[in-house]
């Protein structure tokens, strides 16, 4: 056998040829056109069954099978899809929480006592976008609303543009002109004609335009203070003795064990203790001036805690709403609330008027002790503070 380079016709898969140019295998045996030697045909002249060629075996897809030491891994979802799912869950949760808060507030707005005597709307009672209303703290234990005097008198302003709430405490013994009753203590206006006469007195004396009010009974202040976790104050020995006397009286009237404060100095007070602390004014405790200061200490902490976070605010509202009477409708409350928080949780500021050095004690012809001051000066301080955001300073003579 020889390989003829001149006649090397590579037909099909053959690459060996004899001297006559006929295809043979590498051993020189004649082969058919498929490269199968005729010598391997069977006795009937049929070629043997063919096995897959190496080329065909290589063309077959190779399947990798895990060995016994490899765990099968489940197919993972794309990370982007997973992030989208987490965001969707968070958004749904936030919407659900917001819906629950709205429902809770809607429920609370069914708990207060609505006084529709005054038909005006808070939405119209604005000046430069600032809303004002009066807050009264009264004691109705003995005679109900008839003849009740306001022990705490405050003007509250809500300024959405500056995201602030301001409180102005006025002293109950302030000597003012009460329409139809002449000169007397400011607190008497509530006893003579309820909140409507009190609003008229405030507006005419201090050149204001307040049409709405909220009244809370001092006997219910304890639950409101407890709702925010109590307050911290510093008591003198005289304040301790006078406060404990009122605590004993309150607990005896309500058939409950006394809750006396143990010592003077800095103390954490619960609702009953803080409520009585804010009402004392006798026994060398500073009279009406210091009582107003103590009330401001308690109220500042209560409002500060209430606006500290949404959870505490809701607890505060649950303590407050069942215990107030107000001329504000549900719509008014929603309007004020939404305008208040539109720029975030507002800051809380508080002052007491008249200022130190701008008032003095006086005695009327019938022996009544009062606080005297210049109405025009106080009105100017009030307007500067509420509408111009100017903290009042004492005017020097």
């Amino acid at each position: 056998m020889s390989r003829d380079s001149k006649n090397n016709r590579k037909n099909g898969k053959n690459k060996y040829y004899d001297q006559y140019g006929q295809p043979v295998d590498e051993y020189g045996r004649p082969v058919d056109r498929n490269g199968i030697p005729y010598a391997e045909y069977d006795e009937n002249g049929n070629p043997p069954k063919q096995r897959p060629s190496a080329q065909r075996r290589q063309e077959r897809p190779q399947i990798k099978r895990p060995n016994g030491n490899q765990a099968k891994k489940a197919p993972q979802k794309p990370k982007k899809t997973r992030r989208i799912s987490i965001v969707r869950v968070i958004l749904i949760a936030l919407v659900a929480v917001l819906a629950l808060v709205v429902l809770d507030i809607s429920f609370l707005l069914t708990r207060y006592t609505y006084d529709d005597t005054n038909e005006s709307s808070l939405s119209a009672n604005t000046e430069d976008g600032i809303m004002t209303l009066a807050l009264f703290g009264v004691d109705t234990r003995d005679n109900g609303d008839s003849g009740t005097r306001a022990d705490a008198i405050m003007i509250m302003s809500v300024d959405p543009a500056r995201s602030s709430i301001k409180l102005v405490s006025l002293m109950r013994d302030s000597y003012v002109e009460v329409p139809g009753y002449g000169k007397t203590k400011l607190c008497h206006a509530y006893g003579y004609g309820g909140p409507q006469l009190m609003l008229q007195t405030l507006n005419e004396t201090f050149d204001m335009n307040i049409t709405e009010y909220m009244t809370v009974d001092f006997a219910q202040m304890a639950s409101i203070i407890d709702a925010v976790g109590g307050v911290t104050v510093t008591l003198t020995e005289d304040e301790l003795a006078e406060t404990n006397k009122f605590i004993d009286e309150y607990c005896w009237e309500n058939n409950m064990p006394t809750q006396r404060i143990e010592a003077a100095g800095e103390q954490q007070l619960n609702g009953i203790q803080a409520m009585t602390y804010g009402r004392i004014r006798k026994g060398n405790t500073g009279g009406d001036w210091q009582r107003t200061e103590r009330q401001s200490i308690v109220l500042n902490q209560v409002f500060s805690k209430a606006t500290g976070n949404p959870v505490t605010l809701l607890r505060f509202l649950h303590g407050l709403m069942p215990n107030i009477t107000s001329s504000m409708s549900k719509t008014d409350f929603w309007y004020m609330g939404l305008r208040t928080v539109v720029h975030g949780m507002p800051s809380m500021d508080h002052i007491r008027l008249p200022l130190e050095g701008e008032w003095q004690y006086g005695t009327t012809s019938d022996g009544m002790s009062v606080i005297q001051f210049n109405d025009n000066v106080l009105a100017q301080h009030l307007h500067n503070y509420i509408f111009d955001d100017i903290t009042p300073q004492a005017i020097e003579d």
Side-chain angles (χ1 to χ4, degrees):
M1 179 193 72
S2 65
R3 185 170 180 176
D4 189 352
S5 59
K6 293 182 179 180
N7 298 314
N8 188 8
R9 298 174 301 164
K10 297 184 179 180
N11 299 319
K13 298 178 182 180
N14 301 309
K15 62 181 179 178
Y16 298 104
Y17 300 88
D18 61 13
Q19 57 185 345
Y20 303 108
Q22 298 300 317
V24 296
D25 65 8
E26 58 185 342
Y27 301 108
R29 297 179 299 176
V31 297
D32 63 15
R33 60 184 178 181
N34 292 321
I36 300 174
Y38 289 111
E40 295 182 6
Y41 276 40
D42 61 16
E43 59 183 10
N44 295 321
N46 297 319
K49 293 182 178 180
Q50 298 184 24
R51 293 180 180 180
S53 66
Q55 184 178 4
R56 289 182 180 177
R57 288 196 299 270
Q58 290 176 358
E59 291 176 353
R60 288 183 178 180
Q62 300 297 314
I63 301 175
K64 294 184 178 180
R65 303 181 183 275
N67 57 37
N69 296 326
Q70 293 179 332
K72 295 182 178 180
K73 294 183 179 181
Q76 296 182 353
K77 293 182 178 180
K79 291 184 178 180
K80 185 176 180 180
T81 304
R82 184 175 299 174
R83 285 197 297 269
I84 293 175
S85 298
I86 293 174
V87 171
R88 185 180 293 112
V89 170
I90 293 174
L91 289 176
I92 292 173
L94 289 175
V95 171
V97 170
L98 180 61
L100 289 175
V101 170
V102 171
L103 288 174
D104 193 28
I105 294 176
S106 298
F107 167 73
L108 287 172
L109 291 179
T110 67
R111 303 293 306 281
Y112 77 104
T113 302
Y114 175 45
D115 176 11
D116 60 355
T117 302
N118 189 347
E119 295 294 336
S120 64
S121 172
L122 183 65
S123 59
N125 179 29
T126 60
E127 182 176 331
D128 297 329
I130 298 173
M131 298 168 283
T132 56
L133 63 151
L135 307 178
F136 306 128
V138 301
D139 186 351
T140 59
R141 289 176 298 173
D142 298 328
N143 53 6
D145 290 329
S146 178
T148 299
R149 297 175 182 177
D151 283 342
I153 304 163
M154 307 181 78
I155 296 175
M156 173 178 163
S157 65
V158 178
D159 187 345
R162 297 186 179 98
S163 190
S164 69
I165 295 175
K166 296 187 179 76
L167 294 173
V168 180
S169 292
L170 302 172
M171 288 187 282
R172 68 186 294 277
D173 291 344
S174 297
Y175 196 47
V176 299
E177 182 77 26
V178 176
Y181 295 89
K183 295 280 284 188
T184 186
K185 290 183 178 182
L186 178 61
C187 64
H188 289 176
Y190 199 100
Y192 293 148
Q196 284 72 33
L197 182 58
M198 178 65 87
L199 289 178
Q200 183 182 356
T201 301
L202 292 174
N203 289 334
E204 293 185 7
T205 304
F206 306 121
D207 191 26
M208 296 294 291
N209 183 30
I210 306 170
T211 59
E212 309 296 337
Y213 78 91
M214 284 195 291
T215 294
V216 59
D217 189 338
F218 266 116
Q220 308 301 328
M221 277 297 296
S223 63
I224 298 172
I225 297 170
D226 280 332
V228 298
V231 298
T232 301
V233 304
T234 301
L235 298 92
T236 65
E237 292 290 346
D238 290 326
E239 288 174 331
L240 175 67
E242 194 70 12
T243 301
N244 279 336
K245 184 173 73 174
F246 273 93
I247 290 175
D248 289 342
E249 176 186 328
Y250 180 87
C251 291
W252 181 81
E253 289 177 350
N254 290 275
N255 194 28
M256 62 174 62
T258 186
Q259 300 180 33
R260 281 180 157 239
I261 304 170
E262 295 299 325
E266 185 175 290
Q267 300 291 335
Q268 175 73 19
L269 306 185
N270 63 26
I272 291 175
Q273 294 167 338
M275 178 266 293
T276 52
Y277 165 79
R279 298 190 61 206
I280 61 174
R281 66 188 182 100
K282 298 180 179 180
N284 297 320
T285 59
D288 188 41
W289 174 257
Q290 285 303 120
R291 174 168 62 177
T292 304
E293 177 65 19
R294 282 186 287 269
Q295 290 174 353
S296 70
I297 290 172
V298 173
L299 289 174
N300 276 346
Q301 290 193 47
V302 169
F303 280 113
S304 178
K305 287 186 174 183
T307 56
N309 62 75
V311 175
T312 307
L313 178 59
L314 285 176
R315 286 205 303 263
F316 168 73
L317 292 176
H318 274 274
L320 174 68
M321 296 306 292
N323 298 309
I324 68 170
T325 298
S326 179
S327 60
M328 294 169 59
S329 68
K330 294 178 184 179
T331 302
D332 294 333
F333 273 111
W334 277 114
Y335 176 82
M336 184 178 70
L338 292 175
R339 290 207 62 192
T340 300
V341 302
V342 67
H343 298 295
M345 292 301 287
S347 62
M348 180 72 65
D349 296 304
H350 175 268
I351 64 169
R352 175 182 52 184
L353 293 177
L355 296 175
E356 183 69 57
E358 294 185 347
W359 65 275
Q360 61 276 334
Y361 282 115
T363 304
T364 63
S365 58
D366 57 357
M368 181 173 58
S369 179
V370 296
I371 289 176
Q372 297 174 319
F373 53 89
N374 187 313
D375 295 355
N376 294 328
V377 171
L378 192 149
Q380 186 62 51
H381 286 325
L382 188 61
H383 281 252
N384 288 344
Y385 183 59
I386 292 177
F387 301 111
D388 298 325
D389 199 31
I390 299 173
T391 302
Q393 300 292 330
I395 298 175
E396 298 180 0
D397 295 332

